[in-house]
Structures are given as C-alpha cells and as structure tokens.
Amino acid sequence: MDKVGIPRSIFYYYYGDIWKNFFDYLKVPYLISPNTNKEIMDLGLKHGGDEMCLALKTYIGHAVYLKDKCGYLLIPRIDNFGLENQTCTNFLSTYDIINNLFDTKILNYNINLNNNETLKKGLTKIGIELGKTKHDINKAYKYAINKHKEKKAREITINKNKLNSKKTKILLVSHPYNTYDDLIGKDIIKYLEKENIEVIFSDKFDEKITNKLSEKLSKELYFKYSKDNIGSIVYAKDKIDGIIFLSAFPCGPDSLVNELVMRKIDIPYINLVLDGSSTFTGIETRLESFIDMLKGGLND
Amino acid sequence: MTKISFPLMGDYHIPANYLLKNVLKKEIISPPPITAKTIEIGSKYSPEFVCTPFKYTLGTMIESIEKGAGTLIQMGGGCRYGYYAELQEKILKDLGYDIKLINLVTKGKTEIKRIYKLLKQIDPKFSKLKALYYGFITIKMVKYMDTIDEYIRENIGFEIEKGSFEYLKEKCLSDFSKVKNYKELKKLYKKYTKQLTEIKIRKPDDCLKIGIIGELYTIMEPFSNYFLEKELAKNKLEIKRFTNVNYLLFEKGKSIKHYLKYVKEYIKYQMGADAADNIARTKYLCEEGYDGIIHIKSAFCTPEIGAMPIINKIANEYEVPVLFFSFDANTSETGVKTRLEAFYDMLEMRKRK
C-alpha cells in the first residue's frame, strides 16, 4: 500500500498525534518528513512565494520533500471552529497552493464547524479514500481521539506545574509550528533551558479556558489560535516573570494581535520575529539581555 | 457634540457622507484627501509588518481627528481587516486622542442589532425608517457610480478631448452628493449616462484590453496604487476591473459558488478575502481574450500572496502576461510608471505580431 506523506509543519503540530494513531490503528503506512533542516527550508524558499510567511514556506518545503517518497500527501484545510474562532487565511489556502505546485495525490479534508464539517467527518472521508470500512474508521477515530486527550491532559499538567517553579519563568507566546520547529523555535528553547529558565508554552493550556480568557485582552479577536495564545497570558500573568513573543515573518494575525497585547500588558517582554535569514547569534544577544534584565529585577 | 468621520476609499466618501449626513443629526467630517503625509503618519504609528491599508486608514483617521472628528467608523473584511479597528482604537487612545471607533463588520459578520445600538449611542434620535430610506438611496448611488466608472474605464483611453470623462464624472459626483430623494438621483443618473455616451471617442475594435485584479483596498483607493488606472488611461487601452463596493456588498456572496465551479480544475476552496475571486477572474480574462492582466495588492496581503502562484500558473497556461505589483508606503512612483510603460509596450508588440 502506498505511504501517506505527512509534512512536519503547520497542521502537524495540531493534529500529528491524532493522524499517527489513526493510521496506526488502521494499519495505513505513513511517512512523516524529518525535522526542518536546511535542505527542507531551501526547498520551501525555492518553491514558495517570496512574500509568504516563513511558516508557509517551511510547510511547502516539507511537502516538496515528501512528494516523490509517498503515494499521497495529507493536507487538510482548516477554515473555522465557529465564526468567532477562524484561522489565518494560510490555513485556508495551503491545500490549493500545494495542489497547484505538483501532481502528487492529496488526501484532503476541511474543518468548518460553521458548516458542521468536523474532524470526525474529515478523517472518515480520508479513511474511506484509503479503502477502510466505516466500522474500522470509527474505532480508529475513537482510539486516536482518546490518546490525544490523554496526551493533551498530560502536557497541560506539566505546563501548569511549571507555573509554580522556583526558577525564573518565561511564557513563550508562539504558534506551535514555530515553537517546536527545528529552524525556528528549538534553539531559543534550548538556550533558555540552558540558562536555567522555566519555559512555559502558550499552546499547552486548556484551550477552552484560554480561548475565553483572551477576551480580557482583546474583545474583537476572531482568530482561534491567536485567542488561545493570548488567553494563556491572562491565565499565567501573575506567575510569570516575562514573556517572549515569537513570530514567523510576516505573520498576519500576529502583526496585529501581538501589537495590541504588547500595548496592554505590564509584564516585561521581547518580540522576536524570524524570517529565515536571521542568525541565532543576533537572537542570542537579545535573549541574553532580556534574561539579565529579568534576573536583575528579581534580585532588587 | 462628537463629530463623525471614516477612512477614505476612492470616491466612496461621497455616498458614505451622504448616508451619515442624512441619518445622523451629527456633524460629519469628510476625510481629507490622502497625501504623502497621511501615509507617513499612518506608517509611523502602525506595527511594522501589517498590511498597508492599516497604515492608510490609520493615517486618515489621525488627520480626521485633527480636523475635529471624535467618532470614527471602520469597515471589516474577510481577512485581518476585520480586526483593524480594535488595534487602531488602542493606538489612537495611546496617542492621547479621546475618540470612539465603531467597527461595522466584526468576527466575520455584520450584526445589524449591534450597529443599531451603536448608532443609537451616537444619536439618540436615530430613526430606523430614515436609515432604511437613505440607505436605499446610498446603495443605488454606489451602484450608479460603479456602473459609470465601468463605462469610463472601458473608454477613457480613447477620448478625443483629453479630460472629458474626468470632468463629467466630477460634475456627476458633485450633483449626486446633493440629491434630496431617489427620483432626483435616478434622473441625474440617466442624464449623466446619456452625456457620457455622447463623449466622442475613437476606439478601434481590436484595441488592447487589460484586466485589473487584486486586493480590494489597494484596487479601490487610487492613492494607494499610485493612481495606476489614471496612468494606464493615458494609453490607448480598455480597462476591466471587477472589484467595487457594489460587487463586495451585493454580488460577491452569490458569485463565489459560481466562481469556484468555474475554476474547479485549479482550486477547491475559498482562500480568504478575494483570493478565489481573483483566481476565477484570471481564467475569465484569459478566456475572454484580454491581452494582459495586472494584479495589485498591498504589501503583506496574505490571501493574495497565496493566490499569486495560482494566478501565475493559469496565465502561463493561457499565455497571457501578468504584471504583479505589491504596493507599500515606500514604493517608488517612477518605478511603477516605468514598469507600466514597459508592460504596455510589450502588450502592444505582441498584439501587432
């Protein structure tokens, strides 16, 4: 059976574990692209549009890397989780952009809760396209979702426990596809941990809580993932020492949301915007002085 | 007493002004024309990598406030435009301006109830009936303006006496802004349509035809596209443009399904704002025998950035040249002119072959 290619970027960081468990249960072979490396990034820069954001370029790089190694590529589209929880327009267009780039068959489903198109329906569609029975698909879906819930609960507990740590605590406000990408966020996290900082992640809270809390910082926001992110600031603000905003240049939602939030909060912060040409040395200098400032502040 | 203003976009301040003036018992401050200063102020107080319409509208708002406006109205859109208002209000307040900003479309929907409440706050005597009546006239005015513009775009390159169309349009807009009722507006529209068709033109059957597509604000606000249409009109060519307020308000909703079906071999879904519309328009222009396509957008416009590779692909398949412009506050005017001239020359050479 042909392998399903899963690009390790954007959607993967929200749904990766669900897909893996779903396919494992159904015995569908799959191949996940490796962590972003220079080869993948260069593919993205070559095949992506000049003005696309760094995350979308990275995604395209992963898709191109996989296209001849698999029979299918798994590329969903995520429109909204209700009108008050929409996504960045890149989540709407990635499938069509890739589909026009090359001929590899794409497994695609759409999430549009405003139109009752759910993840369950989406995965059922994929399962049927792969020749599985509805009965097996249902069981696989339940299995994958339960595993996901367990994993999520574990991550949330760990993240929440960090809020009580005695170390200097920094909340990293960033989209997971940036935070955990090897060429975007990974070095930053490594550096912070080496400096004995407790790093708390904005995407590892109970999104039902953070989504609602975001209203305290922005009433009119309708981007789901931005809401979850800034809600984590409201949630954690009394327990953290500083915030790092991390964005991929030129992120549409972040350009407005982060600016609004930075104008409203009274917690020390820095704003890092990566565009793929930035070297870590430049970022390191900024991180170093930020940490010095935070630790100095603690000694006063 | 608070005075009301709104950001500028093309000639649409005329119907906007008309509506507000007749519906609210408040002084309306017509937004001052956009100048280099406007965009300079707007850029100075905007986040760095926000799309350019944010900067233009913020600049206009500041200039309106300086003229005395206290309540500002902002529109939403199918991308991050709908979120402009909250940040713009915060920026203006941080600058020390005591203002109120009303966002008409938020979270992807226009809530009539919410807008009604907001208007009631501005003017407690606000009447729904009056709003409906003048709303109707305003909608008609927009439709008439857009129809007139469409005719002008097709013919302005061929006028015998340069400036005839522009002169007549200015007169028409000035008369439109003073109408008392719908009957009067309709009469004026008939009169000016007749006068427009009487303007002498010399237009060959096989003239060059260009389609303009792209992001809506940059298309509709001439200052933000460096008066691209005016520049094009100096040449002998017919211009087709799809985006106007009438389209966005009344046609887009119906067209999009048809559009997606029309380009189903290229795309399956909408891609935010007008991206899918522009992909369909590209195919349409190619199939209708247009000689070239100009795609314009503001820098950082995410939906159009996603559409561009697909637009390029379609145009390549049909062998129709496309010129892409991404405008921001620092675009060089000479650069725009040079590229337009070169594009026009190339199209003409292809046509003659």
Side-chain angles (χ1 to χ4, degrees):
Chain A
M1 193 175 171
D2 273 340
K3 266 186 268 184
V4 176
I6 300 177
R8 192 188 290 269
S9 186
I10 306 189
F11 308 108
Y12 172 82
Y13 289 101
Y14 300 100
Y15 295 100
D17 65 302
I18 297 182
W19 293 336
K20 280 189 275 185
N21 288 320
F22 182 72
F23 289 143
D24 280 341
Y25 194 93
L26 290 173
K27 299 197 170 58
V28 172
Y30 56 87
L31 174 67
I32 302 170
S33 53
N35 289 322
T36 312
N37 53 38
K38 192 162 179 315
E39 181 201 348
I40 288 174
M41 186 61 97
D42 285 346
L43 284 173
L45 295 176
K46 187 175 160 219
H47 294 273
D50 285 347
E51 296 174 87
M52 285 173 181
C53 79
L54 183 63
L56 182 55
K57 285 177 183 164
T58 310
Y59 189 94
I60 291 175
H62 281 271
V64 176
Y65 172 90
L66 286 171
K67 76 178 167 79
D68 297 323
K69 299 178 178 71
C70 312
Y72 313 88
L73 285 182
L74 177 62
I75 305 177
R77 174 181 187 269
I78 306 178
D79 192 309
N80 65 71
F81 302 87
L83 276 183
E84 299 196 354
N85 279 296
Q86 303 176 25
T87 58
C88 154
T89 58
N90 282 339
F91 283 60
L92 274 58
S93 59
T94 306
Y95 161 76
D96 280 313
I97 292 173
I98 306 272
N99 198 27
N100 278 284
L101 267 182
F102 44 78
D103 284 333
T104 306
K105 196 169 175 325
I106 296 178
L107 295 171
N108 164 258
Y109 63 87
N110 188 25
I111 293 185
N112 177 349
L113 294 196
N114 196 38
N115 192 30
N116 201 22
E117 294 172 64
T118 57
L119 176 66
K120 188 173 183 188
K121 282 186 186 167
L123 289 182
T124 305
K125 175 180 172 280
I126 300 294
I128 288 170
E129 277 178 53
L130 291 168
K132 303 295 169 189
T133 65
K134 267 224 166 121
H135 177 77
D136 288 347
I137 293 169
N138 269 339
K139 275 165 91 182
Y141 176 79
K142 264 188 206 137
Y143 172 75
I145 288 297
N146 284 337
K147 283 265 182 192
H148 177 70
K149 280 185 184 154
E150 278 168 30
K151 176 172 170 269
K152 199 83 205 185
R154 206 163 48 237
E155 286 173 351
I156 292 171
T157 311
I158 295 170
N159 207 39
K160 262 163 68 180
N161 285 341
K162 286 185 186 172
L163 287 173
N164 301 320
S165 157
K166 294 276 179 294
K167 294 188 205 170
T168 302
K169 283 161 286 186
I170 290 180
L171 177 67
L172 183 58
V173 178
S174 158
H175 301 291
Y177 49 85
N178 294 328
T179 313
Y180 311 112
D181 188 282
D182 263 25
L183 289 192
I184 304 178
K186 198 167 190 184
D187 283 341
I188 294 171
I189 299 170
K190 250 201 270 171
Y191 179 84
L192 293 173
E193 280 170 351
K194 197 189 81 200
E195 292 296 309
N196 203 27
I197 299 289
E198 196 70 78
V199 188
I200 294 139
F201 299 100
S202 63
D203 66 301
K204 290 199 182 344
F205 285 102
D206 184 343
E207 58 196 85
K208 279 200 198 88
I209 296 172
T210 50
N211 196 278
K212 184 91 187 104
L213 280 177
S214 70
E215 284 169 18
K216 295 222 157 96
L217 280 172
S218 175
K219 280 200 296 288
E220 293 193 5
L221 188 55
Y222 50 86
F223 295 121
K224 144 93 174 151
Y225 296 120
S226 298
K227 276 167 106 169
D228 296 355
N229 263 352
I230 68 167
S232 78
I233 299 175
V234 181
Y235 185 90
K237 67 177 180 350
D238 296 331
K239 295 193 167 167
I240 50 175
D241 302 295
I243 296 175
I244 294 175
F245 292 94
L246 171 67
S247 299
F249 180 83
C251 175
D254 284 2
S255 71
L256 299 173
V257 180
N258 288 359
E259 174 77 19
L260 181 74
V261 171
M262 286 186 275
R263 284 170 177 266
K264 286 192 170 178
I265 53 174
D266 49 12
I267 305 165
Y269 66 82
I270 50 168
N271 185 24
L272 301 176
V273 182
L274 302 196
D275 67 0
S277 66
S278 9
T279 58
F280 190 68
T281 334
I283 298 165
E284 195 175 345
T285 320
R286 292 190 58 199
L287 289 173
E288 197 181 343
S289 52
F290 183 61
I291 293 169
D292 281 350
M293 195 260 293
L294 290 184
K295 290 191 172 165
L298 287 179
N299 292 338
D300 280 346
Chain B
M1 185 171 120
T2 179
K3 298 172 187 175
I4 301 167
S5 193
F6 47 87
L8 198 68
M9 191 171 66
D11 296 323
Y12 294 113
H13 61 284
I14 291 167
N17 228 337
Y18 179 82
L19 179 65
L20 294 172
K21 186 179 75 189
N22 280 297
V23 170
L24 300 173
K25 289 268 162 298
K26 293 278 167 188
E27 193 181 328
I28 313 296
I29 298 205
S30 200
I34 296 178
T35 64
K37 183 91 187 144
T38 316
I39 179 66
E40 193 191 314
I41 301 172
S43 304
K44 188 171 162 193
Y45 299 115
S46 294
E48 196 191 331
F49 54 97
V50 73
C51 37
T52 328
F54 187 96
K55 301 176 183 174
Y56 277 100
T57 51
L58 183 67
T60 323
M61 285 175 174
I62 292 176
E63 288 182 334
S64 300
I65 296 169
E66 296 289 332
K67 276 176 76 185
T71 300
L72 298 154
I73 299 176
Q74 179 63 286
M75 296 282 286
C79 47
R80 65 181 131 158
Y81 202 127
Y83 188 61
Y84 277 11
E86 191 174 4
L87 178 56
Q88 284 178 328
E89 184 172 28
K90 177 73 182 148
I91 293 174
L92 292 170
K93 285 193 169 152
D94 284 353
L95 284 170
Y97 296 118
D98 180 24
I99 50 99
K100 198 180 160 82
L101 211 159
I102 294 178
N103 194 13
L104 292 186
V105 188
T106 180
K107 295 180 175 171
K109 50 190 175 191
T110 325
E111 286 171 275
I112 303 290
K113 247 196 203 149
R114 188 181 56 91
I115 295 172
Y116 177 71
K117 240 169 81 189
L118 288 167
L119 292 172
K120 261 300 202 227
Q121 275 173 25
I122 304 176
D123 177 7
K125 286 199 195 108
F126 168 79
S127 128
K128 257 194 244 179
L129 211 66
K130 230 169 143 186
L132 276 175
Y133 177 68
Y134 286 104
F136 171 75
I137 298 181
T138 308
I139 285 166
K140 285 288 176 191
M141 193 185 293
V142 167
K143 198 174 166 69
Y144 293 158
M145 282 171 59
D146 287 343
T147 316
I148 287 172
D149 269 333
E150 226 164 273
Y151 180 82
I152 294 179
R153 261 177 228 120
E154 283 169 15
N155 295 293
I156 190 167
F158 307 96
E159 59 186 0
I160 290 174
E161 200 177 325
K162 280 285 159 201
S164 326
F165 280 109
E166 223 181 308
Y167 171 73
L168 194 66
K169 191 184 152 183
E170 264 168 39
K171 240 176 78 184
C172 166
L173 290 179
S174 157
D175 281 354
F176 272 12
S177 69
K178 291 177 216 127
V179 292
K180 294 204 176 54
N181 51 47
Y182 175 54
K183 219 173 126 193
E184 208 177 301
L185 176 75
K186 206 170 163 186
K187 229 171 99 187
L188 277 174
Y189 173 62
K190 277 198 175 142
K191 178 181 129 189
Y192 279 106
T193 316
K194 189 160 173 283
Q195 290 185 12
L196 271 178
T197 47
E198 280 165 6
I199 290 179
K200 288 210 168 65
I201 51 167
R202 194 176 293 135
K203 188 175 174 185
D205 286 342
D206 63 338
C207 67
L208 272 182
K209 293 198 293 182
I210 286 187
I212 300 180
I213 56 172
E215 168 255 311
L216 64 100
Y217 180 89
T218 306
I219 281 194
M220 292 194 284
E221 172 42 52
F223 198 93
S224 78
N225 64 39
Y226 295 75
F227 299 96
L228 180 125
E229 279 186 35
K230 221 172 167 173
E231 201 54 44
L232 277 175
K234 289 180 186 163
N235 302 304
K236 293 201 180 319
L237 49 83
E238 184 182 310
I239 302 166
K240 169 84 184 166
R241 188 186 102 182
F242 305 83
T243 305
N244 54 37
V245 168
N246 187 56
Y247 171 79
L248 294 171
L249 290 181
F250 304 107
E251 290 171 16
K252 187 178 162 76
K254 288 178 278 175
S255 313
I256 194 68
K257 257 195 187 143
H258 164 75
Y259 273 170
L260 284 175
K261 212 171 142 195
Y262 179 59
V263 282
K264 66 175 186 310
E265 72 268 42
Y266 296 104
I267 56 169
K268 192 161 139 192
Y269 299 109
Q270 291 206 55
M271 299 161 75
D274 290 349
D277 313 48
N278 285 321
I279 289 169
R281 290 156 177 174
T282 303
K283 186 179 165 190
Y284 173 84
L285 291 167
C286 290
E287 294 209 319
E288 292 296 308
Y290 278 75
D291 300 285
I293 298 170
I294 299 180
H295 178 273
I296 62 181
K297 69 167 186 52
S298 71
F300 305 130
C301 171
T302 320
E304 292 303 327
I305 291 171
M308 278 162 67
I310 304 171
I311 288 171
N312 208 14
K313 180 182 166 185
I314 299 173
N316 273 339
E317 283 177 13
Y318 283 87
E319 294 182 4
V320 174
V322 201
L323 181 61
F324 289 101
F325 279 109
S326 187
F327 295 105
D328 81 23
N330 312 314
T331 308
S332 120
E333 203 174 335
T334 349
V336 175
K337 279 188 181 169
T338 317
R339 287 185 65 202
L340 276 180
E341 272 167 34
F343 189 63
Y344 175 75
D345 288 345
M346 187 262 291
L347 293 185
E348 230 195 11
M349 253 158 53
R350 273 169 62 106
K351 189 101 182 171
R352 266 190 268 125
K353 255 201 271 178

